[in-house]
Amino acid sequence: MKVLFLDTNHPYLLEGLMNLNFECDEDYTSSRSEVEGKIHLYDGLIIRSRFTIDREFIKKASKLKFIGRVGAGLENIDVDFAEQQGIHLIAAPEGNKNAVGEHALGMILALFNKLIKADSEIRRGVWLREDNRGIELEGKTIGLIGYGNMGKAFAKKLKGFDSEVICYDIKPDVGDANARQVSLKELFEKTEVLSLHTPQTELTNGMVNEGFLKKFEHNIYLINTARGSAVVTKDLVSSLASGKVLGACLDVLEYEKASFENFFSKENTLPEDFQYLISSDKVILSPHVAGWTVESKLKLAETIVHKVAAMLDQHNSIK
């Protein structure tokens, strides 16, 4: 069977599929229309985020048996239509869950201890101790929305901080020794630090808006290492200005599309709300890299290879 790679990945992924007797072709430069012109030749597709794999693309992929997305989610694929066509969909949230958990922890510790602000001041010859007095995670209630691979990884990291960790998820019985599953009502009542670990769905798009934030009994800190579309930026900014949100750690932003690189081009005027975020010392930003470590690059590749091998084993056992 033939597999087409549309994005560069760890070499292990290519080697692993070749060891499973796939013929692998790489194409990292062709236009979408050029890829559509030959996709009918392939049984498998490996992508990250280069193209949206929509209904029209899938219709042209008449032989396609599986799509492997080297990432946590499948939001750039028309999942329903692909499954209707009998295409097996593979994501790899197990591959970067540890990286996301460590990144979320690093961001909140940096915010609580004013590390970015203090570092910047010292580099400018400013030595302010009292102004950089931090706060501690110990004793805080950390509320997680979404308790799958990413949420569980973050909760595991929090275990040594003597915090209360609670989680809300639409799936029942997902809580464990690291986080107690609660109702949305209890989440609103107790949470002091809110961390998002949700996929991009109709339910989560725009979920964190002004009305949502006002439901929290405490003024809260927000961590988002999930999807930028979950947070309405203008509502976050107004909540930061009012003090309802005391600080925010944002690895992802609402403005992200398939690519973020052109956002900072000279021709593009930065949105006013984004300008507020980058000027505020209550906000820490990173460029969608929470799951983007040296180790996770390999783990993602290993996960895809493992799942493709399992798919082949299942297919062979049915035969």
Side-chain angles (χ1 to χ4, degrees), residues 41 61 110 119 126 142 144 149 157 161 176 187 242 278 300 319:
L41 301 173
D119 177 82
V126 179
I142 319 297
L144 313 181
N149 285 285
K157 307 300 177 196
F161 284 86
D176 56 21
L187 186 93
S242 71
I278 62 177
L300 287 165
K319 285 170 48 178

Side-chain angles (χ1 to χ4, degrees), residues 31-141:
S31 67
R32 178 191 169 106
S33 60
E34 288 172 330
V35 173
E36 286 180 341
K38 64 180 180 181
I39 192 60
H40 65 281
L41 301 173
Y42 292 93
D43 304 276
L45 181 67
I46 300 294
I47 62 163
R48 288 203 316 266
S49 301
R50 184 171 155 205
F51 296 147
T52 297
I53 309 301
D54 56 19
R55 180 181 293 253
E56 293 308 310
F57 186 97
I58 293 169
K59 284 180 179 178
K60 294 178 172 64
S62 54
K63 287 181 61 179
L64 209 58
K65 296 174 180 64
F66 73 90
I67 301 173
R69 177 159 191 272
V70 189
L74 298 168
E75 61 268 11
N76 60 330
I77 301 171
D78 187 330
V79 171
D80 291 339
F81 188 70
E83 290 179 342
Q84 287 172 20
Q85 304 308 303
I87 298 171
H88 188 76
L89 301 178
I90 299 170
E94 304 89 345
N96 60 1
K97 64 181 182 180
N98 183 71
V100 171
E102 289 192 9
H103 195 93
L105 181 59
M107 290 188 91
I108 194 62
L109 289 175
L111 184 67
F112 271 20
N113 292 284
K114 302 183 180 180
L115 296 183
I116 308 299
K117 174 180 176 295
D119 177 82
S120 174
E121 288 171 352
I122 291 172
R123 291 172 189 273
R124 292 183 281 112
V126 179
W127 188 268
L128 298 174
R129 296 188 68 224
E130 186 58 37
D131 197 52
N132 286 303
R133 189 183 290 273
I135 60 174
E136 299 177 15
L137 270 176
E138 184 179 44
K140 302 286 190 300
T141 299

Side-chain angles (χ1 to χ4, degrees), residues 134-198:
I135 60 174
E136 299 177 15
L137 270 176
E138 184 179 44
K140 302 286 190 300
T141 299
I142 319 297
L144 313 181
I145 298 184
Y147 203 61
N149 285 285
M150 307 304 172
K152 288 179 187 293
F154 186 39
K156 183 179 179 182
K157 307 300 177 196
L158 291 167
K159 194 169 184 180
F161 284 86
D162 293 325
S163 302
E164 180 183 9
V165 183
I166 57 177
C167 64
Y168 172 79
D169 197 290
I170 59 173
K171 295 179 180 178
D173 304 320
V174 297
D176 56 21
N178 298 325
R180 179 172 61 88
Q181 189 167 6
V182 299
S183 66
L184 199 53
K185 179 176 182 292
E186 187 172 351
L187 186 93
F188 287 136
E189 289 172 351
K190 291 190 172 182
T191 296
E192 295 169 277
V193 178
L194 175 68
S195 189
L196 306 181
H197 300 279
T198 50

Side-chain angles (χ1 to χ4, degrees), residues 1-18:
M1 291 195 290
K2 295 181 66 175
V3 177
L4 179 64
F5 282 64
L6 289 181
D7 291 285
T8 56
N9 293 284
H10 193 284
Y12 180 89
L13 183 49
L14 186 69
E15 294 165 8
L17 292 189
M18 290 175 67

